[in-house]
Amino acid sequence: MPRLALAALVAGFALAGPARAQDGPPREPGPFRPPDLVEVAALDPSFKVEVRYATADNFVGRPVYPVGRVFLQRPAAKALLRAQRALRRRGYGLLLFDGYRPWSVTRLFWQVVPPGQRAFVADPAVGSRHNRGCAVDLTLFDLASGREVEMPSRYDAFDASAAPDYAGGTPEQRARRDLLRATLAAEGFSVDPAEWWHFNHRDWRAYPILDIPLEQLVGRR
């Protein structure tokens, strides 16, 4: 579905008023590791960061994050750093769109997205791997130009072109998408079956669902 059409549906659904949702994250049996969220770009300033959820340039049509920072649990952040170094040898860097996401934002997404589009957002009743600080949304940028590369779809596409095995696009676009996937897989990340840009770190089960506001994490290393 085109972004403008989806935004219009989201706006209409939000104005109509979502059904009452649970008040807090789901309770899960532990034990879990203590959260250790770190800012990824603080580990290496060569990462590019473009958090569209801190702007109006997203499917909700307004900012839903107070800061444009990307945080991950430390093991996931260090694995991403290794992937960044491997890609540098191929002439690419990583452009980060999102990492840790407070559970309350996941609930907001579920409330405002029309039911027919909910395959692309997480159910707050079970939480998201973003909520655990073990999922990252990202793409490649070209080191020589500094520009984001073209992939078979744009980031946050709500249609079949978002799938990591989508056969459309150009051979060059698919090759870059597959390079991203292979490089992250070598560092313990698996791609989401519906979104080529979404990767989950293998340790995601070790961390609880969190609802820590992003602004409270600024300055962590």
Side-chain angles (χ1 to χ4, degrees):
M1 176 178 291
R3 181 181 291 270
L4 290 176
L6 177 61
L9 278 173
V10 167
F13 192 81
L15 289 172
R20 190 177 187 280
Q22 64 194 83
D23 295 326
R27 296 183 180 181
E28 301 177 294
F32 294 109
R33 295 179 191 172
D36 188 14
L37 291 163
V38 297
E39 186 170 2
V40 178
L43 300 180
D44 184 343
S46 69
F47 285 106
K48 279 183 173 287
V49 178
E50 185 181 319
V51 182
R52 296 178 189 175
Y53 292 138
T55 75
D57 183 20
N58 60 67
F59 71 88
V60 180
R62 62 180 174 82
V64 294
Y65 287 174
V67 294
R69 310 287 188 93
V70 173
F71 302 89
L72 290 172
Q73 301 291 354
R74 193 175 300 274
K78 288 185 174 181
L80 204 61
L81 179 58
R82 294 192 296 270
Q84 169 87 332
R85 291 169 177 167
L87 286 163
R88 193 175 297 152
R89 297 192 289 270
R90 303 289 297 270
Y92 295 108
L94 289 172
L95 170 58
L96 311 181
F97 295 127
D98 199 12
Y100 163 70
R101 179 182 302 155
W103 175 86
S104 56
V105 177
T106 294
R107 178 178 60 180
L108 169 67
F109 288 173
W110 186 259
Q111 290 174 336
V112 302
V113 169
Q117 296 292 320
R118 282 181 173 170
F120 294 94
V121 295
D123 184 345
V126 297
S128 164
R129 291 165 198 182
H130 280 292
N131 303 151
R132 302 174 191 274
C134 286
V136 61
D137 294 347
L138 77 178
T139 190
L140 300 174
F141 72 90
D142 178 72
L143 289 180
S145 67
R147 295 177 181 173
E148 178 182 349
V149 305
E150 291 187 355
M151 294 292 197
S153 85
R154 58 176 171 75
Y155 165 60
D156 255 359
F158 277 53
D159 56 44
S161 67
D165 298 321
Y166 174 65
T170 68
E172 294 78 15
Q173 290 170 347
R174 294 194 300 273
R176 289 189 289 263
R177 180 194 63 191
D178 295 346
L179 172 63
L180 177 65
R181 180 176 181 173
T183 304
L184 267 69
E187 298 301 338
F189 289 91
S190 59
V191 71
D192 183 272
E195 300 172 337
W196 62 259
W197 59 82
H198 176 134
F199 290 86
N200 302 303
H201 189 256
R202 61 189 171 201
D203 286 352
W204 68 267
R205 294 178 183 83
Y207 293 94
I209 294 170
L210 301 170
D211 200 20
I212 303 170
L214 285 166
E215 61 270 28
Q216 292 184 16
L217 301 174
V218 175
R220 292 196 183 185
R221 292 176 178 267

